[in-house]
Short mmCIF file of all heavy atoms in Angstrom, two decimals:
data_model
loop_
_atom_site.label_atom_id
_atom_site.label_comp_id
_atom_site.label_asym_id
_atom_site.label_seq_id
_atom_site.Cartn_x
_atom_site.Cartn_y
_atom_site.Cartn_z
N ASN A 15 42.68 -18.19 4.26
CA ASN A 15 44.03 -17.71 3.92
C ASN A 15 45.02 -18.57 4.70
O ASN A 15 45.19 -18.38 5.90
CB ASN A 15 44.13 -16.23 4.30
CG ASN A 15 45.53 -15.68 4.12
OD1 ASN A 15 46.41 -16.35 3.57
ND2 ASN A 15 45.76 -14.47 4.60
N LYS A 17 48.17 -18.63 4.50
CA LYS A 17 49.45 -17.96 4.75
C LYS A 17 50.61 -18.91 4.42
O LYS A 17 50.50 -19.69 3.47
CB LYS A 17 49.50 -17.43 6.18
CG LYS A 17 48.24 -16.59 6.49
CD LYS A 17 48.34 -15.77 7.72
CE LYS A 17 47.03 -14.99 7.91
NZ LYS A 17 47.06 -14.07 9.01
N HIS A 104 47.00 -7.72 1.47
CA HIS A 104 46.85 -8.21 2.86
C HIS A 104 47.76 -7.39 3.77
O HIS A 104 48.85 -6.97 3.37
CB HIS A 104 47.22 -9.70 2.92
CG HIS A 104 46.88 -10.30 4.25
ND1 HIS A 104 47.68 -10.17 5.34
CD2 HIS A 104 45.78 -11.00 4.65
CE1 HIS A 104 47.10 -10.77 6.37
NE2 HIS A 104 45.95 -11.29 5.98
N GLU A 106 49.69 -8.20 6.04
CA GLU A 106 51.04 -8.76 6.22
C GLU A 106 51.94 -8.39 5.04
O GLU A 106 53.17 -8.43 5.15
CB GLU A 106 50.95 -10.28 6.43
CG GLU A 106 50.46 -10.59 7.84
CD GLU A 106 49.70 -11.89 7.98
OE1 GLU A 106 49.82 -12.77 7.12
OE2 GLU A 106 48.97 -12.02 8.99
N GLU A 176 39.91 -5.96 7.25
CA GLU A 176 40.70 -6.69 8.24
C GLU A 176 41.45 -5.70 9.13
O GLU A 176 42.54 -5.25 8.77
CB GLU A 176 41.71 -7.61 7.55
CG GLU A 176 41.07 -8.68 6.69
CD GLU A 176 41.97 -9.89 6.54
OE1 GLU A 176 43.12 -9.73 6.09
OE2 GLU A 176 41.55 -10.98 6.92
N ALA A 180 43.33 -7.12 14.80
CA ALA A 180 42.50 -8.31 15.02
C ALA A 180 43.08 -9.54 14.34
O ALA A 180 42.60 -10.65 14.55
CB ALA A 180 41.09 -8.07 14.52
N ILE A 181 44.11 -9.35 13.51
CA ILE A 181 44.63 -10.48 12.72
C ILE A 181 45.59 -11.32 13.56
O ILE A 181 46.62 -10.82 14.03
CB ILE A 181 45.33 -9.97 11.44
CG1 ILE A 181 44.30 -9.29 10.54
CG2 ILE A 181 46.01 -11.12 10.70
CD1 ILE A 181 44.88 -8.69 9.29
N GLY A 182 45.21 -12.58 13.74
CA GLY A 182 46.07 -13.52 14.46
C GLY A 182 46.24 -13.21 15.93
O GLY A 182 47.12 -13.76 16.58
N THR A 183 45.39 -12.35 16.49
CA THR A 183 45.55 -11.93 17.88
C THR A 183 44.50 -12.55 18.79
O THR A 183 44.62 -12.46 20.01
CB THR A 183 45.40 -10.40 17.99
OG1 THR A 183 44.10 -10.04 17.48
CG2 THR A 183 46.46 -9.68 17.21
N GLY A 220 37.64 -9.90 8.28
CA GLY A 220 38.73 -10.81 8.62
C GLY A 220 39.45 -10.35 9.87
O GLY A 220 39.61 -9.14 10.11
N GLY A 221 39.91 -11.30 10.65
CA GLY A 221 40.63 -10.98 11.89
C GLY A 221 40.08 -11.81 13.03
O GLY A 221 39.04 -11.47 13.60
N SER A 222 40.74 -12.96 13.31
CA SER A 222 40.36 -13.82 14.43
C SER A 222 38.94 -14.37 14.34
O SER A 222 38.29 -14.60 15.35
CB SER A 222 40.59 -13.10 15.77
OG SER A 222 41.96 -12.81 15.95
N VAL A 223 38.48 -14.59 13.10
CA VAL A 223 37.19 -15.27 12.93
C VAL A 223 37.39 -16.75 13.27
O VAL A 223 38.37 -17.35 12.86
CB VAL A 223 36.66 -15.15 11.48
CG1 VAL A 223 35.36 -15.96 11.31
CG2 VAL A 223 36.44 -13.69 11.11
N LEU A 241 37.24 -13.61 5.71
CA LEU A 241 38.57 -14.07 5.31
C LEU A 241 39.19 -14.64 6.59
O LEU A 241 39.34 -13.91 7.58
CB LEU A 241 39.39 -12.91 4.74
CG LEU A 241 40.78 -13.26 4.20
CD1 LEU A 241 40.73 -14.36 3.14
CD2 LEU A 241 41.43 -12.01 3.58
N VAL A 242 39.49 -15.93 6.55
CA VAL A 242 39.84 -16.66 7.76
C VAL A 242 41.28 -17.14 7.69
O VAL A 242 41.65 -17.81 6.73
CB VAL A 242 38.91 -17.88 7.93
CG1 VAL A 242 39.17 -18.56 9.26
CG2 VAL A 242 37.45 -17.48 7.79
N GLY A 243 42.08 -16.81 8.68
CA GLY A 243 43.46 -17.27 8.71
C GLY A 243 43.57 -18.56 9.51
O GLY A 243 43.28 -19.65 9.03
N GLY A 244 43.95 -18.44 10.78
CA GLY A 244 44.23 -19.60 11.63
C GLY A 244 43.16 -20.68 11.61
O GLY A 244 43.47 -21.87 11.49
N ALA A 245 41.90 -20.27 11.70
CA ALA A 245 40.81 -21.26 11.79
C ALA A 245 40.55 -21.97 10.47
O ALA A 245 39.76 -22.91 10.42
CB ALA A 245 39.53 -20.59 12.30
P1 PGA B 1 43.32 -14.74 11.39
O1 PGA B 1 43.89 -14.13 10.00
O2 PGA B 1 41.96 -15.32 11.07
O3 PGA B 1 44.32 -15.79 11.78
O4 PGA B 1 43.23 -13.62 12.35
C1 PGA B 1 43.04 -13.47 9.10
C2 PGA B 1 43.81 -13.00 7.91
O5 PGA B 1 44.99 -12.65 8.05
O6 PGA B 1 43.29 -12.95 6.78
#
Side-chain angles (χ1 to χ4, degrees):
N15 174 9
K17 309 194 180 185
H104 190 279
E106 285 151 19
E176 298 206 304
I181 295 177
T183 58
S222 297
V223 176
L241 184 55
V242 185

